[in-house]
Amino acid sequence: MTIHQSPEVAEPDIIDVPAGNATFKSRHPETIALHGGSFRFDPTTGAVAVPIYQTSSFQLPGTEGADKLFALEAPGHLYTRVSNPTQDVFEQRLAELEGGAAALAVSSGQAASAFAILNLARAGDNIVSAAGLYGGTWALFAATLKSFGIETRFVDAADPEAFEKATDERTRAYYAESLPNPKLEVFPIAEVAAIGRRHGVPLIIDNTAAPLIIRPLEHGAAVVVYSTTKYIGGHGTSIGGAIVDSGSFPWTENPTRQPNLTEPDASYQGKTWIDKASVIGFHPYILRARAVLLRDIGAAISPQNAFQFIQGLETLPLRLRQHNENAVKVADYLKGHAKVERVIFPKFQDGTARARAEKYFKPGHFGALIGFELKGGREAGRRFIDALQLFYHLANIGDARSLAIHPATTTHSQLSQDDQLATGVTPGYVRLSIGLEHPEDLIADLERAIALA
Ligand code: PLP
C-alpha cells in the first residue's frame, strides 16, 4: 500500500509499507491490549497511535455501494451514531481481550446494560437478575424497564437454582455482576450459564469490577457488559460502556426463545437478524444492537472517548496487577486494625463465597474493592471520610486514584435502614476502591483517618 509523506520531506514522496492489518496473534492480554484487532497503523498517514476520526459522516461509495452499506450487505461506516473507525479499533481490541467475537462500544455503562437487555426483551417479556446490582442498574431494571413492560425477577445470586425457578417461556436473559459490591461475593457464572443454556437463555455478566481477572466468557456467559468509565479507562476522564458478544451462544437452538433475533424485523426489510448477520458473517446479537438500538436510541460513544478508552486498554493488564497487589496490602492492614469490626474482601471469605472466589478469580487476585466496617458505626464512618487526605471522597470505582465512600450517608441514603441492611450496607460500612498510589502512602492515609474516626 502507499502513503503520502508530508510536503517538507523531499524524497521519496511515496513509500511502500507493508499492509496495515496486524497478523501477529497473541493470547497474552499485555500484547492484545496494545495490538489486538486489525489496526496496525493509519493507512493514510502511517500514524501508529489510533487517529480520532472526528467526523459525523462518511463519504459514500457510489449509489450501488451505498445501497449495500445501508442494507448491511457490506461492511463500512456511514454515520458516527452507528459506527466510526476509532470506535471500531476500541471494539475489536476489547473483544479480543475479553475472548469474545465482537463488541459494541456505547456512551456509558448504563447504555450498555440497557442495550444488552433491550436487544432481547420486549413488552410482556421478563429477565431474571441477581439482586446485588449497582444502584443505577437496579433502578433501570426495577423502574424504567418495568415501565416499558419488561419485568425483572430479582433472585439471590448465592443460589443458582433460583434462576431456573424464576424462568418461564417469556424469559429472555439472565443478568448479574461478576463482583457486586458491597458484598463482593463472586457470582456463580458457570452454574447459572449452564442453566441458561439448557433453556436457550443467555447469561449477561457486568464485569465492570473485574476486567481480565474474571473471565465470564470462559465460563459460559453469552455476553459481557462494561462500564468502561471504570478500570478500562482507568484515567477517570470519560464516560463509556461496551457490550462484548461471545459469538458462541446458540440463539436458534430453541426457536421461540429469542424472537428479536429469529422473527422478521419490519424495520429491516422484513429479514430476521439471524439471516442478516449470516449474509456478511457478523454475529446477530451484536449486529442488531448496533443496527437497531444505536439507530433508534442513539447512545453512541464519541470518537474522542473511544480514543481515551484505547489509551486505557493499553495499560489495563499492568494496572490491574498493581490495583490487586495494593488492595491485598491494604486489606491485610485493615484486617489487623483494632478499630475495624470486619473487612469485606474476597481473600477473607469462607464457605461457598470463598470457593467461588477461588474458582473465578485469576490466581492471587481478589479485585481492588474493599469494604470495611468501623466499630464506631455511622458517625465513625462520617468522621473517617472527612479525615482522608489522599483518598478522594467520590462515588466511583476503578480510577487510578484511590477512592472512598460511606454508602449509608451518600449512595444508599435514600433507602430505609432495613433496605440498606438488605443490600449489605451497614451504618459504619466504608467502601474503598484501591488505586495505583504507593501502598505505604495509602495505609498512612487510612491510619490517620481511622485514628480520627
Ligand atoms: N455497572 C457497574 C458495576 C457500575 O459500577 C456502574 C457505575 O458505577 C455502571 C454499571 C454504570 O456505568 P456508567 O456510570 O458508565 O454509566
Side-chain angles (χ1 to χ4, degrees):
M1 89 179 316
T2 58
I3 60 166
H4 297 277
Q5 296 284 282
S6 63
E8 305 88 77
V9 180
E11 284 296 333
D13 66 352
I14 293 180
I15 57 168
D16 284 326
V17 293
N21 282 357
T23 48
F24 188 95
K25 285 287 165 214
S26 171
R27 59 189 175 81
H28 299 292
E30 293 79 358
T31 307
I32 299 170
L34 287 156
H35 299 279
S38 60
F39 180 87
R40 178 79 180 148
F41 56 82
D42 175 52
T44 312
T45 62
V48 167
V50 180
I52 303 170
Y53 287 92
Q54 192 67 42
T55 181
S56 57
S57 329
F58 300 85
Q59 164 77 0
L60 299 172
T63 49
E64 199 180 317
D67 280 356
K68 286 206 157 56
L69 276 177
F70 275 90
L72 301 178
E73 283 163 9
H77 304 290
L78 293 168
Y79 192 56
T80 288
R81 169 151 43 78
V82 175
S83 73
N84 172 286
T86 315
Q87 173 187 358
D88 186 32
V89 175
F90 173 49
E91 289 168 346
Q92 287 189 33
R93 223 161 256 183
L94 180 64
E96 200 172 320
L97 207 49
E98 194 66 38
L104 176 68
V106 289
S107 60
S108 68
Q110 282 301 96
S113 356
F115 275 27
I117 301 300
L118 291 174
N119 207 28
L120 300 173
R122 307 169 175 183
D125 293 342
N126 66 74
I127 63 166
V128 184
S129 173
L133 289 175
Y134 161 64
T137 314
W138 175 280
L140 168 71
F141 289 0
T144 303
L145 290 189
K146 187 175 175 196
S147 75
F148 293 178
I150 299 167
E151 180 200 353
T152 302
R153 301 174 174 176
F154 292 104
V155 296
D156 180 359
D159 173 20
E161 300 305 320
F163 280 79
E164 184 145 44
K165 287 186 198 124
T167 304
D168 65 18
E169 73 285 355
R170 298 290 301 259
T171 303
R172 304 290 178 230
Y174 294 160
Y175 191 97
E177 291 179 15
S178 53
L179 182 64
N181 70 80
K183 290 186 179 165
L184 300 177
E185 290 177 3
V186 177
F187 182 77
I189 303 169
E191 293 85 333
V192 176
I195 294 171
R197 285 190 185 243
R198 279 208 301 278
H199 294 277
V201 177
L203 173 62
I204 302 169
I205 291 285
D206 178 341
N207 201 35
T208 297
L212 300 181
I213 56 173
I214 295 181
R215 314 268 303 158
L217 302 183
E218 289 174 8
H219 298 284
V223 171
V224 165
V225 299
Y226 279 110
S227 164
T228 56
T229 314
K230 316 294 195 276
Y231 291 103
I232 289 184
H235 29 55
T237 63
S238 316
I239 301 283
I243 308 173
V244 183
D245 182 343
S246 62
S248 69
F249 193 79
W251 299 106
T252 49
E253 211 167 83
N254 180 334
T256 55
R257 178 61 79 184
Q258 301 296 346
N260 270 10
L261 299 179
T262 56
E263 287 181 2
D265 183 340
S267 79
Y268 252 104
Q269 306 111 13
K271 302 252 171 58
T272 73
W273 285 99
I274 299 291
D275 288 345
K276 282 226 80 74
S278 70
V279 172
I280 38 175
F282 279 5
H283 296 278
Y285 175 83
I286 211 78
L287 179 66
R288 186 187 185 278
R290 183 189 302 284
V292 174
L293 296 174
L294 275 181
R295 177 196 65 190
D296 299 351
I297 299 177
I301 191 166
S302 70
Q304 175 74 45
N305 279 2
F307 171 81
Q308 295 285 15
F309 293 122
I310 291 168
Q311 308 315 300
L313 276 190
E314 292 189 349
T315 56
L316 183 69
L318 202 61
R319 282 186 288 111
L320 255 289
R321 215 175 294 147
Q322 196 61 45
H323 277 295
N324 276 271
E325 213 176 288
N326 286 1
V328 168
K329 288 189 176 140
V330 169
D332 285 344
Y333 157 77
L334 288 170
K335 183 107 175 113
H337 201 292
K339 287 176 86 171
V340 172
E341 181 75 41
R342 67 191 173 113
V343 179
I344 299 128
F345 188 58
K347 184 180 172 200
F348 306 137
Q349 287 162 350
D350 45 30
T352 312
R354 169 78 195 183
R356 287 183 184 149
E358 266 168 28
K359 175 171 177 183
Y360 292 108
F361 270 123
K362 184 175 168 182
H365 290 64
F366 300 101
L369 301 178
I370 302 174
F372 73 100
E373 176 83 33
L374 283 162
K375 284 191 175 154
R378 185 184 169 91
E379 285 315 306
R382 288 180 88 113
R383 285 194 298 270
F384 165 80
I385 292 283
D386 287 337
L388 288 169
Q389 291 180 347
L390 188 59
F391 279 75
Y392 283 94
H393 176 211
L394 54 83
N396 195 14
I397 57 166
D399 198 301
R401 302 151 195 86
S402 289
L403 318 171
I405 197 144
H406 179 228
T409 52
T410 55
T411 50
H412 289 63
S413 58
Q414 291 95 335
L415 273 64
S416 70
Q417 184 102 357
D418 283 350
D419 285 350
Q420 286 190 10
L421 289 176
T423 63
V425 172
T426 49
Y429 176 86
V430 174
R431 186 188 74 202
L432 303 178
S433 170
I434 301 300
L436 302 175
E437 301 90 342
H438 197 286
E440 284 175 14
D441 291 331
L442 296 175
I443 289 171
D445 197 35
L446 295 172
E447 175 92 9
R448 212 184 22 75
I450 293 175
L452 294 171

